[in-house]
Amino acid sequence: MKQIKCDCGHVNPLGTVLCESCGKPIEENQHIDGNEGKKLLNMRYDGTARRSKTYTKSVVDRIWSFFSSVKVGVWLIVLALIASMIGTIFPQEMYIPANTPNRDPAVFYESQYGVLGLIYYQLGLHNLYSSWWYLLLIALIGVSLVICSLDRFVPLFRALRHQNPKKHQSFLSRQRLYSETESATDEELETVKKQLKKRRYNIKEKDGYLLAEKGRFSRWGPYVNHIGLIIILIAAILRSTPLFFMNEYVWVREGETEVLPGTNGEYYVENKDFIFETHDENDERFKDALSKEGMVASNYQTDVVVYKANRSIPGEEPELEPVVEDSIQMNKPLSFDGYDLIQSGYQLNEFSSMTFKIHETSDADEKSLGSFTVDLRNPQPEFDLGNGFKVVLDQFYPDYYLDDNGIPASETNFPRNPAFVFSVYSEDSEKPEVSFVGIGRNIDGTGENKYKLGIEDFEMHDVSGLTFKYDRSLPFFGIGAVIFMIGVIQGMYWQHRRIWIHKRKDGSLVMAAHTNKNWFGLKKDIETVTENTNIKMVEDQQELGEKDN
C-alpha cells in the first residue's frame, strides 16, 4: 500500500490531504477536498484520508463509496418518507375496524374506497410497513448511516486524538482566522496563555508552537446522532417481527372465556361483565352532543379475569389459574406479564341463542308440537325433536339484510339481526316444508305449509372488543431517541475551537484559529485573550476575500 511521507518526516496514509502531523497540504491530493485554487483550507475532516475518496477500484470499494455519500443517504430517507406517506392514504390491514362488515382486505379496500382502494390492495400497500421492500429501504438507510459514520469518524478520530501544536506555515496562513504580529514579547505570550486557560482552553506547546483547544467532544455530536438513528432503525425492523410486536383483536362475550390470540394458548380472558354508561340526558354540558347523537357515553368498561393455562400433559384440557382480575376502561388498559389489554369496542344486546317452536299453521292458539334451540355462535345443522319432526338449518344470516338485487345476505358475522331458512320434515309428508324465520318476519316458502315455525324465546348478551398487544421495541426506540438528543445537544451547544500560535525566533508572532461553527464566539475569545497586549487581532480571511471580490 502506497504511503505519503511529508517533509516533516511523518508518514501519512494514501489519500491524505493535509499532513496528519504538521498540516502541510499534500499537493497531489488537494482535489479530494476541493482545495485546488482556494485560499482557505477545507477543515471539515482535518484533511484525513477517507476510504471512499481513496479506494474506488474493487466492487467492495465502489459499494463503500456509494453508501458513504451523504446524497445517497438523503435520497434513501426521502424515498422512505414518500413511501411512509403513501402508507397513510388508507388504513393499513391491522387497522381495519373490527366491526366492519367484512375485514377481508380483498373485499374491504374495494368496498370502502372503490377503484383506488382496489389498486392500493393489489399493489400490496395495505401491509406497506411490513413489506420486504420497505424493510429493505429502512435497512439500506441503516447501512448508509453506518458506512457514512465509519468513513469519516475513524480517520477524524485518529487525526484529532493526537493534535500536534507544531504546524506548517502554509497550514496556518490558510486558516480562516489569521494574523501576523511583527513583535510580541514573552510576557505578552504568557498573558495570552493565562487568559486562554481561564477560558478553559487546553494548552499544548512544542518548539515555540502553541495549540489552545477546547470543545473537541462536540465534533462527535453527528456520529452520536447516527448511533441513535441506527438504534431507532433497528427497532423499526424488529417491530415488524412477532417477537417484538403483536397487535390482535378479540371479541369476548359476557360470561365466556376466550383464548388470547398470539399466546399459543398460554393465556385466556374471561368477560365477567361489560358496563356501558351514558351521561345524564339533562346534563347541560352535553346538551348539543345529546341533541345530535341521542346519547353520550360516559364509560365503557369490561370486568375481566386473565388466566394462565397449565398443561401437565400436552393436548389435555388446560387448568386455568387466575393471573389478574381487574376492570378495563377506555384509556385505562390492563397490563400483565408484558401484555396490554385495551378496551377498543363493544356490541350491545347481541343474540346468543334462539328457541323456536313448531305448531300447525291453522292453530290459532299456536300450540307447540316441539321446540329446539339454535346456538347462534355455533349452530347445529339439524335438530331431531324426537316426536317425528326433524328440522334442518339450510341457511343462516347472522346480520340479515337484503342486497341491491333483493337477495338475502349477512352484513357482518355477528348475530345482531339473525335470520334463518329452515326445512321441516314430518312423518305425514314426504317433502320438507321450507320456512324463512327472522326477527319480525316469518315467511312460508311455498304458501301451503302445514306447519309453521315461531320464535319462542331468545337470550342476549353484550360483547366486549379488546385489543391484545405487546410492544417490546419501545425501549429501543426510547434509547435511540435519548442518544440522538444527546448528539443534538452535544453538537449544537458546544463548538470545537482551536487557536494556533507560533512565536518565531525573530520575535514575530503568527496566530491562526479554526472552529466548526460560531466564528463570532471564537473571535470574541481571541479578542478577550489578546486584550492589553500588542498582539494583532486575527482577521477573517473569508470576509476579506469577499471584499476583494
Side-chain angles (χ1 to χ4, degrees):
M1 183 182 293
K2 183 181 177 182
Q3 294 180 319
I4 303 171
K5 187 174 182 179
C6 181
D7 294 341
C8 68
H10 182 77
V11 178
N12 297 283
L14 182 67
T16 302
V17 180
L18 303 176
C19 175
E20 293 178 337
S21 178
C22 70
K24 180 182 178 181
I26 298 172
E27 294 182 5
E28 62 268 26
N29 289 338
Q30 293 310 292
H31 63 282
I32 294 176
D33 281 348
N35 288 332
E36 288 182 316
K38 299 287 184 67
K39 181 178 181 180
L40 303 181
L41 294 175
N42 182 350
M43 294 287 290
R44 182 175 298 173
Y45 307 110
D46 271 42
T48 54
R50 287 180 288 151
R51 174 171 180 157
S52 61
K53 300 293 185 180
T54 306
Y55 306 104
T56 57
K57 293 183 178 180
S58 70
V59 174
V60 174
D61 293 336
R62 292 177 182 177
I63 293 174
W64 183 278
S65 180
F66 176 80
F67 282 107
S68 67
S69 171
V70 174
K71 291 182 180 179
V72 171
V74 171
W75 274 111
L76 287 173
I77 293 173
V78 169
L79 290 175
L81 289 173
I82 293 173
S84 300
M85 289 188 289
I86 292 173
T88 63
I89 294 175
F90 299 131
Q92 293 290 290
E93 181 180 352
M94 64 183 298
Y95 296 115
I96 294 177
N99 58 353
T100 196
N102 194 327
R103 298 190 78 243
D104 183 357
V107 177
F108 172 79
Y109 287 96
E110 184 176 10
S111 63
Q112 292 292 318
Y113 308 108
V115 177
L116 289 178
L118 178 62
I119 295 173
Y120 195 81
Y121 167 74
Q122 291 180 338
L123 290 176
L125 301 177
H126 64 295
N127 272 324
L128 184 143
Y129 303 114
S130 59
S131 63
W132 67 268
W133 62 268
Y134 184 82
L135 293 178
L136 177 62
L137 188 59
I138 297 299
L140 290 177
I141 294 174
V143 170
S144 177
L145 284 172
V146 171
I147 293 180
C148 273
S149 300
L150 291 177
D151 188 62
R152 293 159 173 80
F153 174 82
V154 175
L156 184 61
F157 177 79
R158 186 176 63 246
L160 294 181
R161 185 178 182 183
H162 301 292
Q163 286 285 287
N164 186 7
K166 188 176 180 179
K167 292 296 183 181
H168 195 271
Q169 176 60 32
S170 61
F171 175 87
L172 298 174
S173 63
R174 294 179 68 180
Q175 295 298 318
R176 177 171 168 177
L177 299 183
Y178 179 77
S179 71
E180 290 188 16
T181 304
E182 293 183 359
S183 178
T185 64
D186 292 339
E187 289 76 12
E188 289 174 327
L189 183 58
E190 286 298 321
T191 300
V192 170
K193 287 164 58 177
K194 289 180 181 179
Q195 291 298 323
L196 285 170
K197 288 179 180 179
K198 284 184 179 180
R199 302 192 71 81
R200 299 181 180 177
Y201 279 85
N202 296 316
I203 307 296
K204 290 182 180 180
E205 294 185 76
K206 182 180 180 181
D207 300 335
Y209 292 84
L210 180 147
L211 169 62
E213 180 185 22
K214 74 173 181 179
R216 184 193 299 179
F217 74 97
S218 69
R219 295 289 291 274
W220 315 127
Y223 305 103
V224 174
N225 288 346
H226 288 183
I227 293 173
L229 287 174
I230 290 167
I231 293 174
I232 290 172
L233 291 175
I234 292 173
I237 294 174
L238 292 177
R239 198 173 187 270
S240 65
T241 66
L243 182 64
F244 280 83
F245 180 77
M246 181 192 69
N247 191 315
E248 299 285 352
Y249 199 92
V250 58
W251 288 101
V252 189
R253 293 167 176 81
E254 285 180 318
E256 290 190 358
T257 300
E258 296 286 347
V259 64
L260 288 172
T263 64
N264 297 319
E266 184 179 6
Y267 290 96
Y268 290 72
V269 61
E270 178 188 1
N271 182 351
K272 300 192 73 174
D273 189 23
F274 177 74
I275 300 172
F276 178 77
E277 299 173 334
T278 60
H279 288 285
D280 185 355
E281 60 182 10
N282 296 319
D283 194 328
E284 291 295 326
R285 294 175 299 173
F286 305 100
K287 183 178 179 180
D288 294 337
L290 288 167
S291 63
K292 294 178 182 179
E293 303 293 336
M295 66 175 184
V296 176
S298 61
N299 184 33
Y300 307 94
Q301 177 178 320
T302 307
D303 297 334
V304 301
V305 180
V306 176
Y307 299 95
K308 189 171 185 178
N310 288 324
R311 292 181 175 88
S312 56
I313 301 176
E316 73 170 354
E317 193 69 22
E319 180 182 346
L320 302 182
E321 294 185 359
V323 175
V324 62
E325 181 174 357
D326 205 344
S327 297
I328 306 173
Q329 297 175 299
M330 288 294 290
N331 302 319
K332 184 187 173 185
L334 171 62
S335 300
F336 66 95
D337 295 351
Y339 297 96
D340 290 317
L341 270 173
I342 305 167
Q343 182 67 56
S344 302
Y346 67 92
Q347 174 61 47
L348 300 177
N349 301 325
E350 181 180 283
F351 290 91
S352 56
S353 67
M354 299 186 78
T355 301
F356 300 88
K357 67 177 181 180
I358 300 177
H359 62 89
E360 293 183 353
T361 304
S362 59
D363 184 2
D365 295 330
E366 300 183 356
K367 182 180 178 181
S368 175
L369 301 177
S371 63
F372 61 95
T373 300
V374 179
D375 183 349
L376 302 182
R377 293 159 293 184
N378 186 25
Q380 295 176 235
E382 62 179 57
F383 305 87
D384 189 347
L385 277 61
N387 57 355
F389 287 98
K390 184 177 74 170
V391 179
V392 175
L393 177 57
D394 293 325
Q395 295 289 337
F396 172 44
Y397 305 100
D399 198 358
Y400 167 78
Y401 80 104
L402 288 175
D403 64 15
D404 296 338
N405 298 319
I407 299 174
S410 183
E411 189 170 5
T412 69
N413 294 322
F414 308 115
R416 298 167 180 171
N417 182 28
F420 312 83
V421 176
F422 291 112
S423 292
V424 179
Y425 294 83
S426 62
E427 293 180 339
D428 55 358
S429 176
E430 295 180 357
K431 295 182 179 181
E433 297 180 352
V434 179
S435 297
F436 180 85
V437 184
I439 305 296
R441 53 184 68 85
N442 194 326
I443 302 173
D444 184 339
T446 63
E448 299 178 354
N449 286 351
K450 182 178 179 180
Y451 300 100
K452 190 174 184 180
L453 289 173
I455 298 174
E456 189 175 50
D457 196 8
F458 58 84
E459 291 183 359
M460 304 182 78
H461 54 226
D462 298 332
V463 186
S464 182
L466 302 175
T467 295
F468 180 58
K469 65 181 294 185
Y470 62 76
D471 192 345
R472 295 166 185 160
S473 64
L474 287 178
F476 294 93
F477 281 108
I479 292 171
V482 170
I483 293 175
F484 179 83
M485 288 307 301
I486 290 173
V488 170
I489 296 170
Q490 183 178 345
M492 182 176 292
Y493 293 102
W494 283 271
Q495 306 89 40
H496 182 207
R497 298 178 179 180
R498 285 176 288 178
I499 302 173
W500 295 275
I501 300 175
H502 178 205
K503 177 72 181 303
R504 294 169 175 164
K505 292 180 180 180
D506 61 1
S508 62
L509 184 142
V510 173
M511 180 181 290
H514 181 269
T515 182
N516 59 328
K517 60 174 174 286
N518 190 8
W519 293 91
F520 177 79
L522 179 57
K523 290 178 185 178
K524 291 295 292 182
D525 278 354
I526 296 174
E527 184 179 355
T528 300
V529 301
T530 58
E531 191 175 2
N532 299 323
T533 69
N534 293 321
I535 296 175
K536 189 177 178 182
M537 178 61 185
V538 293
E539 295 180 330
D540 192 329
Q541 299 195 91
Q542 179 172 294
E543 294 178 359
L544 290 174
E546 291 174 356
K547 292 177 181 178
D548 294 340
N549 293 333

